[in-house]
């Protein structure tokens, strides 16, 4: 549990990322209630104040909404979720791009490399 | 809620704490770390009222800590095994329930279930891990503002450590209780701490919010501790 998190990065952000991904994968459905702060703290083995901070951060990002006295829920606002999805995509691509550029790869090499990788991956998945 | 003001603690010729000043807030999980002999256990013993400062003052909620004050406000898990080994698990709980008025019997029963402890087993026949779990059950069942844990993980395997951490998260009342843990097993408690206090040679070297260390310095507590110790 403890080693699920990178110990030198803020845990509240790591937990927020994790929940956002669960929302995008629809493991947490639109409108679904998130575990209470205490439950989430126990499940993920982190400090309850950290979970509280994660929930506030998610609320600020718009992916969840807190309803007074009822708890925290995945937003039903589809456009916020679409935006979140696009943002995460952009984030990943930009860090991939920066890394590849640093190693001296050209744009063409990146695109062809990606295409090749994806087609191998997909063939592998079909075989499973 | 707990204040150390210019505390010095001497044992014969050994200076355990040296002009030690510290203010601990309420409702947090606080880790006290530092190398062997740095003063961690002395700090906890002062809070528990087991020892008195040679100089300076230690107060809790404004009151000087004596044995009497501490027994009403502090639950202390000693490094040493203090249980009567001929008692069963159930009798141990009964014993502590009779000893402390603030002992929440039903909470203790809940924790025993959670930790899957057999009430009819004698303490002397328990594995080391289950003795560790029983200690936690007793310690967390007291409804007091401060719970002290001195090296709760030492010598215990990862499964037991995990159940202790989860037990803590499940059964502590964070609105009213403060947990103070000394440990060398920092990795184990890193994700559950609010604050970390680093002690060196009987002095407070640093006190920081652990998330702030990760946000501003991109360091784990162990890395931070090494950096600060240099």
């Amino acid at each position: 549990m403890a080693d699920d998190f990178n110990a030198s990065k803020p845990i509240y952000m790591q937990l927020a990322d994790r929940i956002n991904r669960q929302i995008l994968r629809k493991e947490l459905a639109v409108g679904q209630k998130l575990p209470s702060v205490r439950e989430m703290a126990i499940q993920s083995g982190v400090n309850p104040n950290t979970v509280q901070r994660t929930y506030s951060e998610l609320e600020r990002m718009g992916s969840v909404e807190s309803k007074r006295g009822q708890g925290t829920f995945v937003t039903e606002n589809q456009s916020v979720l679409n935006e979140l999805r696009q943002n995460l995509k952009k984030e990943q691509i930009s860090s991939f791009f920066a890394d590849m550029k640093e190693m001296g790869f050209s744009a063409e090499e990146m695109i062809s490399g990606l295409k090749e990788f994806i087609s191998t991956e997909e063939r592998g998945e079909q075989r499973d | 809620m707990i204040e150390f003001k210019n505390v010095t603690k001497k044992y014969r010729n050994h200076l355990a704490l040296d002009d030690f000043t510290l203010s601990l807030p309420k409702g947090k999980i606080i880790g006290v770390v530092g190398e062997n002999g740095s003063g961690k256990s002395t700090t906890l013993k002062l809070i528990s009222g087991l020892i008195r400062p040679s100089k300076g003052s230690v107060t809790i909620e404004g009151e000087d800590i004596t044995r009497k004050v501490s027994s009403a406000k502090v639950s202390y898990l000693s490094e040493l095994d203090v249980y009567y080994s001929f008692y069963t698990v159930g009798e141990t709980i009964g014993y502590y329930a009779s000893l402390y008025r603030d002992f929440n019997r039903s909470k203790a029963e809940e924790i025993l279930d959670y930790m899957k402890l057999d009430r009819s087993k004698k303490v002397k026949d328990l594995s080391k891990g289950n003795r560790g779990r029983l200690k936690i059950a007793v310690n967390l069942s007291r409804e007091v503002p401060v719970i002290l844990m001195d090296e709760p993980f030492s010598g215990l395997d990862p499964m037991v450590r995990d159940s202790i951490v989860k037990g803590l998260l499940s059964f502590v009342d964070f609105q009213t209780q403060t947990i103070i843990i000394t440990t060398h097993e920092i990795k184990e408690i890193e994700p559950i701490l609010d604050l970390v206090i680093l002690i060196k040679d009987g002095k407070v070297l640093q006190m920081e919010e652990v998330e702030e260390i990760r946000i501003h310095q991109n360091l784990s507590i162990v890395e931070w501790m090494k950096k600060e110790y240099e």
Side-chain angles (χ1 to χ4, degrees), chain A residues 1-3 5-14 38 41-50 53, chain B residues 27 29 162 165-166 169-174 187 190-194 211-212 214-215 218-220 223:
Chain A
M1 35 171 284
D3 45 16
F5 292 98
N6 179 337
S8 50
K9 297 220 170 81
I11 287 175
Y12 85 98
M13 279 305 299
Q14 295 181 61
R38 164 101 65 172
I42 297 165
Q43 268 177 34
S44 42
V46 305
N47 186 296
N49 291 322
T50 308
R53 193 163 177 184
Chain B
I29 308 181
D162 192 65
V165 166
K166 298 234 157 138
L169 291 171
S170 308
F171 295 104
V172 167
D173 180 354
F174 292 100
K187 283 195 178 130
E190 215 165 346
I192 66 163
L193 291 181
D194 285 290
E211 278 286 70
E212 296 304 312
R214 294 188 280 253
I215 293 170
N218 286 322
L219 294 176
S220 70
E223 291 164 341

Side-chain angles (χ1 to χ4, degrees), chain B residues 57-102:
Chain B
S57 68
V58 187
T59 58
I60 179 167
E61 293 173 334
E63 267 185 286
D64 256 324
I65 297 185
T66 59
R67 281 298 277 276
K68 191 167 167 240
V69 167
S70 144
S71 77
K73 292 186 174 173
V74 180
S75 176
Y76 180 48
L77 172 87
S78 151
E79 260 176 301
L80 307 165
D81 259 338
V82 289
Y83 301 98
Y84 292 99
S85 61
F86 51 85
Y87 277 170
T88 63
V89 168
E91 284 163 354
T92 303
I93 295 299
Y95 170 69
Y96 281 93
S98 70
L99 204 56
Y100 296 108
R101 247 191 298 166
D102 52 52

